[in-house]
Amino acid sequence: MVYQKQFVALDLETTHLDFKEGKIMEIGAAEFDLVWNAKKKMVEAKFGKTLSLLVNPEIEPSETALAITGIKKEELTAAPAWPAVRGRVEEFAGKHVIAGHNVQFDLGYLKNQGLRLKNEAFDTLELARTLVPLLESHSLESLAEGFGVLKDAPHRALVDCQNTAEVAAAILNDFLTLPARLQSKVKQILARSSGILGSIIADLPEVQLPAKLIPSILAPEIKPHLADIEFKDQTIYCHPLSFNRLEEILAEFATRKQPAIIALPHRPFLASVRGKIMVNPASALCDKRLELLSAQGKYSETLGRALAKIEIMLATAKSLDLGRLKWSPDEAAVMNSLLVNPRLCLRHDCGYARELDAKIESPVFADLGTVLNLTKHWSKKFNKEHLVLFDLSVIEDKFTDSMIARWNLKKIRNFFSPLYGIEDGQDSIAGNVPDEVESMLNELDLFFGILHLVYLKRIGEFSENLVVDEAERVHDRFQKLFHPASKLKNKLENFSAFLKQGVSFAEEEIQNEMSALKAAVDEAAIFVDNFFLSPSEENISWLEFGPSWVDLNLQKKDLAAEWKNFSKSFSGVTIVDAVLPNASRAYFEKRLGLNEYRVTKCLEEKQSQEIPVRIFFKNLGAADQGRLFASLQGRALLLVPNENQLAEAYRLVSRDPAFAETEILTYKFSGSVAALKKKLRSQSAKKLILILTLHALVKQWKNLPPLDTLVIFRLPFEARGSKSSLLGLDPRGGFIEAILPRAIAQLHRLVSSFLASPGERKNIFILDPRIISDYDQSFMKYFEEFPEFLISTISPEQISQIYAENSR
């Protein structure tokens, strides 16, 4: 039998991502077949007719859309409007299966603009997430580049249609490199589920190709570096390089023969670790739950995809970490049904629970969230293991968050989800939903609906966080919640009794699930009582709002006492951080109660030259920014506060003839983080501009490439209202006592990471004039702490002078 599938690939470029405010500005479509080439032993994409149309959106396109696509406003103005091209699109689609990468986005956009295509849809994003689930990125550009089929000028509609077809063929070929038994198992799983993926792979030839067609990118070998860090209890080591040599230090830690837990600030930092990695229970697979769900005769489309990707992960990576997989929004409920649960897994002794009991004889690596989760929710004691932590700002932030008891409607409903499958179309373990469950869920929906309605007027009017202090508790709006809260508490207690009665009649695994749900319901009842009915002065209480949700939060006021209890879970605690400025260290030490910790320096290295720090005392307009960036020599990093300014900066430098000889690489616009880092490694251009957001740098870049110049657009403050409420402080006190020292620590991390990167003639430019005039000059005092900084203030008129200096 000949393998052949016919499709029409469809792709849109739009003015905005949200179809409620955006319009279509380009449409591409291409007929293609996926055909088995018996001679080459591979699936190929064969193309037919194509369609490519610019569309006048009749609204102003976003700067991001223009920057990503390269489409000019003049081109859109000259193009026909949507009504004139709609019929051509509908005719081209015909009755073909519509293929696209995240195709529901495109179909949803068309529907919103009056074209409801009833064609069957084939999503290559879901194909990729299902059959090649362990890739770092499943974006169309990353897939096309990784498989070696990337066409020129991505982010144009017709080119992306062609990329979609080529990527679909490449994924199927990659699937055929899996062991024959694994291929067969995945085919069986998808055949038992609804949806198109099963029919796409069902009649693929029964062959096993000899090697992976997608190139595997091996991390470079890291040479261990003498860390000069001993595992001493209650010790803070000051590291001068802001972790730019973290990989070398971790490689050295991995060679030690000491039982230790090495907790890294963020999950991406684990990618280059050469050692055993501890799986975070927030993303760990419970094999017992997997068996229960897999035992069903028929699967929903969502469950089928989920089980297929898990099967591939278990067979190829031999890992229980569901966090290694990419999950679509509709698969979230399935993932929740498969996660480990301390109320459940410590009872039925699943594979993850057994893994936790394994003896630790040498350093094990984890992200900080894993360690905090295990010690708090799993009551795990590492009495023989030493804990090593990095980055006080992240430690304080994540520790604070871990100490919050946070409850909302979604969290409570998730407790019901694995057992009863309460979402539409969701597979469940216990089958039909009892009336008692329906009644309980209705009561929860009603209560949180009332809660949101009572405080709805505050959204957009006040901070998104509202501290529930004594004044708020006696206010009429809070008083209105007493009766609904009492009713909800009683309902939860009655439902707990119902579960207790039902446990004795269920099979063993169902008993375990019901007991776990009962424990969660009991915790929810206690929380409702503590928050609404019997508040304690020891706690900080606050509400956090969203457009359609409300979070209830409780936290102990004395965080230092909580840190002391946390530390007792280990044989000792060592902290490693940069050489912090005085204001920041004082804040962190007070916040976590680190007054007994010893502070010592390690790997002392001094800057061999003065570092010019130029601060503009007036805001720069776009023209002056362009002149400044054009004057920069060598390799420069532009650090912007958000993605809107990222798009503006990219558009400014990418369309200016002054940058014709400059290589420009940008977060998101130059592909995924992995693709961007790969381009940087292979880039040898003498003049380069790298544009990153603050968030991307902190979360994704543990070290920086060779750089000569750093340009900071804005001081790195946290979002307004995000911290003071969490700390239980008034807005003014919260800013002075918490937000300001944290912002200084963040600025120091950015600056010291830049200085630690390879490069000569280091220069720093700060475009935020508030650093000179505001905040009691705390940021200026920070720079004055470090003798290597040569500080000066300049005006836009002095840019020409800078250009002349850099040209020498």
Side-chain angles (χ1 to χ4, degrees):
M1 183 174 65
V2 177
Y3 178 85
Q4 184 170 5
K5 307 290 180 181
Q6 295 181 324
F7 307 94
V8 163
L10 179 69
D11 186 73
L12 307 178
E13 301 299 339
T14 62
T15 61
H16 301 78
L17 287 178
D18 187 349
F19 60 75
K20 292 180 181 178
E21 62 173 322
K23 299 292 183 182
I24 296 168
M25 61 183 191
E26 186 179 35
I27 298 174
E31 293 180 349
F32 75 95
D33 290 0
L34 293 177
V35 181
W36 176 252
N37 186 321
K39 186 176 181 179
K40 293 182 180 179
K41 290 189 176 180
M42 63 186 299
V43 177
E44 292 182 325
K46 300 290 187 181
F47 291 96
K49 294 185 298 183
T50 63
L51 178 70
S52 180
L53 300 168
L54 284 176
V55 180
N56 186 343
E58 300 181 298
I59 65 169
E60 187 74 13
S62 69
E63 292 294 328
T64 302
L66 295 175
I68 289 177
T69 61
I71 298 173
K72 295 179 172 57
K73 288 184 181 179
E74 311 84 75
E75 296 177 295
L76 295 177
T77 303
W82 167 247
V85 301
R86 170 183 163 174
R88 294 181 62 185
V89 176
E90 187 172 18
E91 181 182 359
F92 194 93
K95 296 183 179 180
H96 291 285
V97 175
I98 302 296
H101 206 72
N102 193 19
V103 70
Q104 293 304 326
F105 169 84
D106 302 284
L107 295 177
Y109 235 103
L110 289 173
K111 178 181 176 182
N112 184 258
Q113 295 198 213
L115 178 54
R116 185 191 297 267
L117 294 177
K118 298 180 180 180
N119 308 54
E120 187 175 13
F122 167 43
D123 194 341
T124 54
L125 175 59
E126 295 303 341
L127 181 75
R129 285 173 170 168
T130 304
L131 299 187
V132 283
L134 296 172
L135 295 182
E136 183 177 354
S137 171
H138 290 93
S139 72
L140 182 60
E141 183 178 357
S142 295
L143 290 166
E145 184 179 45
F147 283 115
V149 298
L150 182 66
K151 303 292 184 184
D152 293 334
H155 303 300
R156 293 302 298 262
L158 183 57
V159 173
D160 282 350
C161 288
Q162 295 165 335
N163 283 331
T164 295
E166 296 285 6
V167 161
I171 292 170
L172 295 178
N173 289 322
D174 190 81
F175 174 72
L176 293 176
T177 67
L178 297 176
R181 290 182 62 183
L182 180 55
Q183 289 184 42
S184 178
K185 183 68 178 292
V186 171
K187 285 182 177 180
Q188 290 173 19
I189 290 172
L190 292 177
R192 291 166 63 182
S193 67
S194 57
I196 195 173
L197 293 191
S199 64
I200 295 287
I201 69 168
D203 49 350
L204 277 173
E206 296 181 359
V207 299
Q208 182 180 350
L209 301 183
K212 291 268 185 188
L213 297 182
I214 186 169
S216 59
I217 301 174
L218 299 177
E221 189 64 32
I222 306 296
K223 294 182 179 180
H225 180 83
L226 181 59
D228 195 25
I229 297 171
E230 298 179 34
F231 295 166
K232 290 183 179 180
D233 187 25
Q234 294 189 326
T235 301
I236 300 175
Y237 283 95
C238 298
H239 189 300
L241 296 182
S242 191
F243 313 130
N244 259 50
R245 284 158 63 175
L246 182 60
E247 289 177 336
E248 300 172 28
I249 294 172
L250 296 180
E252 192 275 327
F253 282 177
T255 65
R256 298 188 183 185
K257 301 300 180 184
Q258 295 172 260
I261 307 296
I262 314 298
L264 302 182
H266 303 290
R267 184 184 178 98
F269 283 31
L270 294 170
S272 58
V273 165
R274 300 290 197 277
K276 184 177 179 182
I277 296 176
M278 186 177 293
V279 179
N280 192 329
S283 61
L285 172 68
C286 172
D287 52 9
K288 300 276 189 177
R289 282 181 157 180
L290 178 64
E291 289 177 11
L292 287 173
L293 276 179
S294 299
Q296 300 180 53
K298 294 289 290 183
Y299 304 144
S300 66
E301 178 183 2
T302 305
L303 179 60
R305 292 197 312 259
L307 294 180
K309 70 177 71 175
I310 291 171
E311 193 68 36
I312 293 172
M313 180 189 74
L314 292 174
T316 57
K318 304 191 184 306
S319 171
L320 295 175
D321 188 3
L322 295 178
R324 298 183 65 174
L325 306 175
K326 301 297 188 297
W327 299 87
S328 58
D330 64 330
E331 293 172 343
V334 176
M335 181 183 176
N336 178 66
S337 299
L338 296 171
L339 289 175
V340 295
N341 182 330
R343 306 177 188 89
L344 171 70
C345 298
L346 295 176
R347 184 188 302 268
H348 69 194
D349 194 34
C350 67
Y352 183 78
R354 294 194 301 273
E355 194 172 281
L356 284 183
D357 289 335
K359 187 177 180 181
I360 296 176
E361 298 180 340
S362 58
V364 173
F365 297 86
D367 67 276
L368 179 56
T370 298
V371 177
L372 295 170
N373 194 332
L374 288 173
T375 54
K376 182 176 182 180
H377 299 293
W378 292 70
S379 303
K380 177 67 177 173
K381 300 293 183 182
F382 298 94
N383 296 321
K384 296 182 179 180
E385 290 80 26
H386 194 93
L387 176 65
V388 181
L389 301 166
F390 293 84
D391 192 341
L392 271 168
S393 64
V394 177
I395 295 167
E396 186 267 341
D397 193 44
K398 292 196 173 183
F399 185 75
T400 297
D401 194 60
S402 74
M403 292 298 112
I404 298 170
R406 179 178 290 115
W407 290 75
N408 52 42
L409 179 60
K410 181 178 179 181
K411 177 178 178 178
I412 300 175
R413 288 179 67 91
N414 279 345
F415 292 135
F416 290 80
S417 178
L419 187 59
Y420 295 114
I422 58 176
E423 305 299 334
D424 290 341
Q426 183 186 351
D427 305 81
S428 66
I429 294 172
N432 295 330
V433 180
D435 292 340
E436 290 81 358
V437 174
E438 292 280 10
S439 177
M440 184 71 252
L441 293 174
N442 289 338
E443 188 68 33
L444 287 165
D445 291 342
L446 177 62
F447 175 78
F448 279 94
I450 293 171
L451 178 60
H452 192 269
L453 184 62
V454 165
Y455 283 100
L456 184 63
K457 64 180 180 179
R458 298 190 68 94
I459 298 176
E461 186 179 331
F462 299 92
S463 167
E464 291 183 356
N465 293 316
L466 173 67
V467 175
V468 183
D469 52 16
E470 187 59 34
E472 182 62 31
R473 288 191 177 278
V474 298
H475 197 286
D476 287 347
R477 61 187 166 224
F478 196 83
Q479 293 283 321
K480 292 176 182 176
L481 298 171
F482 283 165
H483 176 68
S486 298
K487 186 179 177 183
L488 176 62
K489 179 189 173 186
N490 292 335
K491 192 78 173 180
L492 288 166
E493 290 173 344
N494 292 336
F495 186 73
S496 176
F498 161 75
L499 291 171
K500 182 178 180 179
Q501 184 179 15
V503 167
S504 58
F505 299 101
E507 299 176 2
E508 181 179 0
E509 283 303 323
I510 303 297
Q511 285 183 0
N512 291 331
E513 290 283 352
M514 294 183 75
S515 297
L517 177 56
K518 179 183 180 302
V521 168
D522 290 340
E523 285 185 28
I526 293 171
F527 181 88
V528 170
D529 184 70
N530 290 338
F531 196 96
F532 293 100
L533 308 174
S534 306
S536 169
E537 292 185 359
E538 296 179 355
N539 294 328
I540 305 167
S541 308
W542 75 96
L543 300 164
E544 189 172 354
F545 303 100
S548 59
W549 51 267
V550 181
D551 282 351
L552 305 171
N553 303 276
L554 279 177
Q555 180 188 313
K556 297 288 186 184
K557 288 182 179 178
D558 188 358
L559 195 66
E562 299 297 327
W563 174 267
K564 190 173 183 179
N565 290 333
F566 165 72
S567 301
K568 291 178 181 178
S569 298
F570 306 88
S571 65
V573 178
T574 300
I575 297 173
V576 185
D577 206 326
V579 183
L580 285 175
N582 296 329
S584 301
R585 174 174 295 145
Y587 162 72
F588 292 128
E589 289 178 353
K590 179 182 178 182
R591 180 82 173 133
L592 296 175
L594 305 179
N595 52 302
E596 297 181 0
Y597 277 61
R598 298 177 296 277
V599 179
T600 183
K601 291 185 178 181
C602 64
L603 295 173
E604 289 197 65
E605 295 181 12
K606 296 182 179 179
Q607 291 290 337
S608 59
Q609 59 177 332
E610 290 183 324
I611 309 299
V613 178
R614 297 182 176 93
I615 304 170
F616 283 89
F617 58 75
K618 288 196 300 185
N619 287 314
L620 296 183
D624 285 330
Q625 287 184 14
R627 290 174 57 226
L628 173 64
F629 303 155
S631 75
L632 303 178
Q633 301 299 305
R635 301 164 69 92
L637 168 62
L638 310 186
L639 195 61
V640 299
N642 52 54
E643 292 187 12
N644 286 336
Q645 195 141 11
L646 180 87
E648 292 175 12
Y650 176 71
R651 191 158 183 262
L652 178 69
V653 299
S654 64
R655 297 190 177 186
D656 191 330
F659 298 93
E661 303 299 320
T662 302
E663 185 67 29
I664 300 167
L665 294 174
T666 312
Y667 171 64
K668 286 201 171 181
F669 299 163
S670 298
S672 65
V673 172
L676 179 54
K677 290 180 178 179
K678 182 180 177 182
K679 290 175 182 177
L680 277 169
R681 286 195 297 268
S682 62
Q683 184 51 248
S684 59
K686 291 184 178 180
K687 193 167 183 179
L688 177 144
I689 289 179
L690 170 64
I691 311 176
L692 299 177
T693 62
L694 171 63
H695 177 81
L697 175 64
V698 171
K699 296 290 185 182
Q700 302 288 347
W701 297 70
K702 56 182 176 292
N703 52 47
L704 288 170
L707 293 169
D708 304 300
T709 302
L710 171 65
V711 180
I712 299 175
F713 279 58
R714 289 286 181 269
L715 294 174
F717 286 111
E718 296 167 299
R720 181 183 176 188
S722 64
K723 205 65 188 175
S724 58
S725 294
L726 296 175
L727 298 172
L729 302 169
D730 64 87
R732 175 64 181 168
F735 182 84
I736 297 297
E737 295 178 26
I739 295 179
L740 188 56
R742 287 174 58 85
I744 292 171
Q746 191 72 273
L747 177 64
H748 180 64
R749 167 158 297 286
L750 309 178
V751 170
S752 54
S753 291
F754 162 70
L755 295 180
S757 67
E760 300 179 357
R761 296 180 62 186
K762 297 283 187 178
N763 290 275
I764 298 173
F765 291 91
I766 299 177
L767 309 189
D768 192 339
R770 294 176 301 170
I771 197 170
I772 302 170
S773 57
D774 295 348
Y775 317 123
D776 299 323
Q777 292 198 322
S778 297
F779 292 98
M780 289 295 287
K781 292 173 185 175
Y782 151 68
F783 281 112
E784 290 166 357
E785 281 187 47
F786 298 89
E788 62 268 26
F789 293 138
L790 186 63
I791 306 168
S792 62
T793 57
I794 59 176
S795 67
E797 291 74 23
Q798 292 174 277
I799 293 175
S800 298
Q801 179 184 338
I802 296 168
Y803 183 84
E805 291 175 1
N806 288 336
S807 299
R808 288 200 294 266

